[in-house]
Amino acid sequence: MANSALASLTPETSNDRINIGLQADYRKAMAKDLSEILAATYRLTIKSHIYHWNVVGPIFKPIHDLTEAHYNALFADTDIIAERIRALGHLAPVNFDMTKSFAPTKSDVDQASAHDMVNDLIKDHEEAVREARKAAGKAGDNDDVVTEDMLTARLTFHEKALWMLRAIIAS
C-alpha cells in the first residue's frame, strides 16, 4: 500500500495524467526554475533570521523588526512556491542533496555592521526580483497565469522589502 501511494507521487506517473493546458516540457522547466527560486527564498529566509538575531547598533530596532517580518513572510512563501511545483506535476526538493543549496554559507552572511547586513539583504532581494521577473515572463509566455500571478505576488513582496530596507539606511 505504501509503495503504491509513493509511486503515485513520482513526476513520471503524475505527469502522464496531467492535462491542465500546459505542455509537459514547460511544466518541467518551470518546476526547475521554481525550485531555484525556492532555494533562494530559503537562503534569504535563513539569512534574514540570522541578521535578526545578530544586528547591533543604533539602527538595531528597525532592522530587528523588519527582518522578523521578512523571514516570516519568506517562510510562508516557501510553501506557496513548493505547492506550485507540485501542482505542475513535479516534486519539490525532497532530500538533503536537493536542499543543501537552501542554507547560506558562513561566507554568504556579512555581519560586519548593521548597514552591511542591510546592503547584503538588498543584494539578495534584488536577485530575487530579477529571477522572479524572468520566470514570470516565461509563465506569461506559456499562458500559465497561476504561476505568473504567484510570481507577481513574490515580486510585490521583494520590491516592498527593498524599499523598506533602503529607507532604513538612507542618509
Side-chain angles (χ1 to χ4, degrees):
M1 178 89 171
N3 287 340
S4 63
L6 290 176
S8 68
L9 294 177
T10 62
E12 296 78 22
T13 303
S14 63
N15 273 335
D16 292 342
R17 292 185 248 151
I18 292 178
N19 183 9
I20 59 173
L22 299 172
Q23 297 297 317
D25 288 346
Y26 162 75
R27 288 186 289 106
K28 182 178 181 181
M30 182 53 68
K32 181 180 181 300
D33 290 347
L34 291 177
S35 292
E36 291 171 10
I37 290 170
L38 177 62
T41 302
Y42 260 114
R43 281 192 307 276
L44 186 52
T45 302
I46 294 166
K47 188 182 282 191
S48 296
H49 213 155
I50 290 167
Y51 288 163
H52 168 80
W53 291 328
N54 293 308
V55 66
V56 296
I59 59 174
F60 162 81
K61 182 68 171 149
I63 294 173
H64 184 77
D65 292 348
L66 187 59
T67 53
E68 182 174 11
H70 286 179
Y71 71 69
N72 285 326
L74 288 161
F75 186 74
D77 289 348
T78 61
D79 194 51
I80 293 166
I81 297 163
E83 287 177 356
R84 186 62 191 153
I85 294 167
R86 293 296 295 134
L88 292 172
H90 293 273
L91 295 175
V94 295
N95 64 42
F96 184 72
D97 286 342
M98 296 170 80
T99 59
K100 65 184 173 185
S101 65
F102 285 15
T105 64
K106 187 174 181 177
S107 64
D108 290 336
V109 179
D110 183 355
Q111 296 183 23
S113 75
H115 280 82
D116 291 339
M117 289 177 179
V118 172
N119 282 320
D120 189 40
L121 291 172
I122 287 170
K123 176 186 62 73
D124 287 359
H125 280 283
E126 286 177 339
E127 177 67 21
V129 166
R130 289 190 301 272
E131 293 305 312
R133 191 175 312 283
K134 186 173 16 172
K138 289 180 192 176
D141 291 345
N142 285 277
D143 297 325
D144 182 359
V145 295
V146 175
T147 300
E148 185 178 29
D149 183 58
M150 179 204 66
L151 290 167
T152 299
R154 305 292 67 77
L155 282 163
T156 301
F157 167 78
H158 288 292
E159 289 185 354
K160 184 175 180 179
L162 283 163
W163 158 61
M164 291 179 168
L165 289 164
R166 287 184 179 116
I168 286 177
I169 60 169
S171 350

